[in-house]
Amino acid sequence: MEKISISTEFIKLDSFLKLAGYATGGEAKQFIQSGNVKVGGEVCLMRGKKLRDGDVVSAGESEFQLTVDK
């Protein structure tokens, strides 16, 4: 599992996938809408879903954990 750090309180799911280097903006939208992205083990179809410290995102074979720098 790869840890991705941000310095804000939250990040939106599509922006997170871009930050993690998993997808470009258009690709992130398609991955999310096609049901290929999970947040906390559950499929998430909302590209604007707010992710917070400790959230785990699975996309394909990749898994990322969000950490917030305080």
Side-chain angles (χ1 to χ4, degrees):
M1 180 182 310
E2 184 178 348
K3 293 190 180 210
I4 306 294
S5 296
I6 61 171
S7 58
T8 57
E9 181 183 346
F10 66 86
I11 187 171
K12 292 182 180 179
L13 180 57
D14 59 348
S15 297
F16 179 79
L17 292 176
K18 290 189 287 184
L19 178 65
Y22 185 79
T24 64
E27 291 171 340
K29 181 180 177 180
Q30 288 181 328
F31 285 134
I32 295 165
Q33 289 179 338
S34 63
N36 293 321
V37 178
K38 294 181 179 179
V39 177
E42 295 184 21
V43 173
C44 182
L45 301 175
M46 300 179 299
R47 70 180 210 232
K49 167 114 175 115
K50 291 180 180 178
L51 302 176
R52 299 182 189 279
D53 191 34
D55 281 343
V56 174
V57 176
S58 303
E61 299 294 318
S62 302
E63 193 169 60
F64 307 98
Q65 182 174 25
L66 177 65
T67 58
V68 175
D69 293 334
K70 297 175 182 162

